Amino acid sequence: MVLGTVALAARKGGTVHRRSGAWFVWAMLVMGITASILGLRESPGNVMAGLLTLYFVGTAWTTVRPASTWTRLVNGCALGIALGLALLAVAGGVRFLSTPGLNPAGVPFRTLGVMSLLIATLLLLAAAGDLRILRSGMPRGGPRLARHLWRMCFALFIAAGSFFSIKERVAKVLPEPFTSGPMRALPILLLFATMFYWLWKVRGRRTPPVVIRHEAAPAASPAALRESLG
């Protein structure tokens, strides 16, 4: 969360942004993989959260990398993951909406159903973007930056939400005044406010021109010049 916050707040394209963003990607990949493995034993929901993290941070990373066989392979696999998770979210949402009562954590099943359907909608929209990129290539300028930005922010939202949603976790790290509901919701609101601010900033940005460096040719000797001319 610290690395993601630094990358989000830093000047975009600067050294601090690039380095903290790279470390954030690796940290989220490790978290997503370990959460998926542990979720196989404890909770299927952790498996889906882990795969969501891998999907969003992976596609955000390939967005700012030069196009290659490797990035196309990652984006193709990511499209399959997004569609699979969307189908699971739809099935879970329908099941939750038809289940009365509360889950063991005290959350109404119907609330979980609505959340699952919202996640499914988001995944289908993201998958449509992946399909468009596989067919037409990565966009440039503002659309490319916006794709990178919102996917990184959603990965950060998963990390922050998993921490701030549980009061006991927050109490182990922060003082008592920060464990109330409004205070735990504040970082999530600030995250989305910052995301929308940067989306507005990059909405019309153009791709900077490519600078091609030419190496200086070595000076030819007089003998070589006479030979080439005559």
Side-chain angles (χ1 to χ4, degrees):
M1 288 189 297
V2 173
L3 292 169
T5 302
V6 171
L8 187 60
R11 183 176 65 87
K12 301 299 174 280
T15 301
V16 174
H17 171 76
R18 294 197 306 271
R19 291 182 177 178
S20 59
W23 280 105
F24 172 73
V25 168
W26 287 110
M28 294 299 287
L29 289 176
V30 172
M31 187 190 78
I33 293 172
T34 53
S36 300
I37 295 174
L38 294 175
L40 294 174
R41 294 182 178 181
E42 301 174 2
S43 172
N46 290 338
V47 177
M48 186 168 185
L51 292 176
L52 273 174
T53 301
L54 293 174
Y55 167 73
F56 281 113
V57 78
T59 52
W61 176 76
T62 58
T63 299
V64 293
R65 301 297 299 174
S68 64
T69 303
W70 172 248
T71 57
R72 285 190 290 270
L73 177 62
V74 172
N75 288 330
C77 294
L79 174 60
I81 292 175
L83 292 175
L85 291 177
L87 291 175
L88 290 176
V90 170
V94 172
R95 179 168 56 87
F96 286 141
L97 287 175
S98 60
T99 303
L102 307 176
N103 72 346
V107 180
F109 281 110
R110 291 182 179 178
T111 300
L112 294 176
V114 173
M115 293 175 60
S116 295
L117 294 179
L118 288 176
I119 292 175
T121 302
L122 180 66
L123 282 168
L124 290 174
L125 292 174
D130 296 336
L131 181 60
R132 183 169 59 251
I133 284 171
L134 290 173
R135 295 180 60 183
S136 306
M138 191 67 67
R140 295 187 177 186
R144 184 174 190 170
L145 296 175
R147 171 183 166 89
H148 170 73
L149 176 64
W150 84 261
R151 289 169 185 255
M152 279 293 192
C153 285
F154 202 86
L156 180 57
F157 163 70
I158 295 173
S162 64
F163 174 72
F164 287 105
S165 61
I166 300 178
K167 183 176 181 180
E168 290 74 14
R169 292 180 182 174
V170 180
K172 293 180 180 179
V173 180
L174 300 177
E176 179 64 28
F178 293 94
T179 61
S180 64
M183 291 302 296
R184 288 186 287 119
L186 181 61
I188 307 300
L189 296 176
L190 291 176
L191 167 62
F192 281 106
T194 307
M195 182 190 74
F196 285 118
Y197 167 77
W198 281 112
L199 287 175
W200 176 79
K201 289 279 288 184
V202 305
R203 69 192 188 283
R205 185 172 296 182
R206 296 181 179 179
T207 304
V210 177
V211 178
I212 302 176
R213 297 181 179 179
H214 298 278
E215 297 292 338
S221 64
L225 288 175
R226 286 194 300 271
E227 184 179 341
S228 63
L229 293 175

